[in-house]
Amino acid sequence: MLDALKVIIFGIVEGITEWLPISSTGHLILLEEFLKLGQGDAFFEMFEVVIQLGAILAVVVIYFHKLNPFSPKKTQKQKMMTIQIWIKVLIGCLPAGIIGILFNDVIDKYLYHWYVVAAMLIVYGILFIIVENYQKGKEPRVKKMSQLTLPMILIIGVFQMLAMIPGTSRSGATIVGALMLGVSRGLAAEYTFYLAIPVMFGASALKLIKFGLNYTGMQVFLLLLGTVVSFAVSIIAIKFLLQYIKNHDFKVFGYYRIVLGVIVFLYFGITALLA
């Protein structure tokens, strides 16, 4: 059952890092160096996809009522506002969706390298600090979902598209983009969570089609275990982030990313030199 323990650790790391703007890829690539699942590379690639699904299900559960346009508890006006949210989410997902369909394999082949991950960790860490310093003391111009205009949505969508580069962090990129536009931290985080639903479901569907579902009973158990752990930890991570940003900025995540990026550079760089 050693693999089961490893799966639990991977699920915990995924659940935390998928929603905090610190790059799940950066953490998983390091963790994979020290915790090897004895199930083969193809299974591990599939495993990463499945635990992401567990993470996204947490968003669906937390915001189910708010995102459900058919809720009998909502007035007709509230239902229309919910539909408007979904329209803004789907528009925001267009850039990443188009590029993902066209270039998913190319990105995996040419950009999924440790030095790309490390560089993006550091670059976006610096961006977080710069943006927060620039916005310090300024009142956010956009505090409600209804205030997000079409150009803003598309710009944030482009930032989410850039997050397809490993190490960028999907939540980190979209939050940086939103903050640059004068969106409040709370709304930036919430909109980022919404954007994740179609994008991550779509990306996972592409991977599922690519890898198929031909697994042993033990492997199915490990996939389910990782999904459940990722889901439970994601619930905690999302609620923590929403509470944290009420009184704090994102700079601490920027500093953390820079430190992690340097660690990735040093570890894999030294390993490559000694190989």
Side-chain angles (χ1 to χ4, degrees), residues 2 5 12 33 40 54 66 79 101 113 136 163 185 199 204-205 207 213 218 224 234 254 260:
L2 182 58
L5 179 60
I12 292 172
E33 280 293 301
K66 192 166 185 177
K79 290 179 180 179
I101 292 172
H113 300 289
K136 188 176 181 180
R185 295 188 190 95
V199 166
S204 297
K207 296 289 187 180
L213 295 169
M218 173 55 74
L224 290 173
S234 290
L260 180 63

Side-chain angles (χ1 to χ4, degrees), residues 148-183:
L148 284 175
T149 64
L150 180 59
M152 288 179 177
I153 291 168
L154 289 174
I155 290 171
I156 295 172
V158 169
F159 271 89
Q160 180 171 241
M161 178 193 72
L162 294 174
M164 297 179 69
I165 302 173
T168 300
S169 170
R170 192 199 53 76
S171 61
T174 50
I175 288 173
V176 163
L179 291 177
M180 289 174 67
L181 295 172
V183 178

Side-chain angles (χ1 to χ4, degrees), residues 251-265:
K251 284 198 289 187
V252 65
F253 299 115
Y255 292 121
Y256 179 86
R257 288 177 63 98
I258 293 170
V259 171
L260 180 63
V262 171
I263 290 173
V264 172
F265 260 126

Side-chain angles (χ1 to χ4, degrees), residues 66 77-78 80-89 141-153 156 182-184 186-188 190-191 194:
K66 192 166 185 177
K77 181 180 179 180
Q78 289 173 325
M80 290 303 299
M81 291 177 65
T82 303
I83 291 173
Q84 289 175 13
I85 289 175
W86 274 111
I87 291 173
K88 290 183 177 182
V89 167
R141 294 187 294 111
V142 181
K143 298 180 180 180
K144 299 178 181 178
M145 190 70 67
S146 59
Q147 294 176 306
L148 284 175
T149 64
L150 180 59
M152 288 179 177
I153 291 168
I156 295 172
V183 178
S184 68
L187 180 58
E190 187 174 323
Y191 185 58
Y194 296 166

Side-chain angles (χ1 to χ4, degrees), residues 219-262:
Q219 289 176 331
V220 171
F221 166 73
L222 293 175
L223 290 172
L224 290 173
L225 177 61
T227 301
V228 170
V229 173
S230 176
F231 168 80
V233 175
S234 290
I235 294 281
I236 299 171
I238 291 170
K239 290 185 176 181
F240 163 78
L241 181 62
L242 292 175
Q243 187 64 36
Y244 177 85
I245 58 179
K246 288 181 179 179
N247 301 305
H248 304 84
D249 59 27
F250 285 104
K251 284 198 289 187
V252 65
F253 299 115
Y255 292 121
Y256 179 86
R257 288 177 63 98
I258 293 170
V259 171
L260 180 63
V262 171

Side-chain angles (χ1 to χ4, degrees), residues 17-39:
T17 59
E18 187 62 54
W19 303 114
L20 302 188
I22 52 179
S23 175
S24 59
T25 303
H27 288 78
L28 291 177
I29 195 174
L30 269 179
L31 189 59
E32 187 184 355
E33 280 293 301
F34 301 101
L35 292 180
K36 298 287 187 181
L37 291 180
Q39 304 291 332

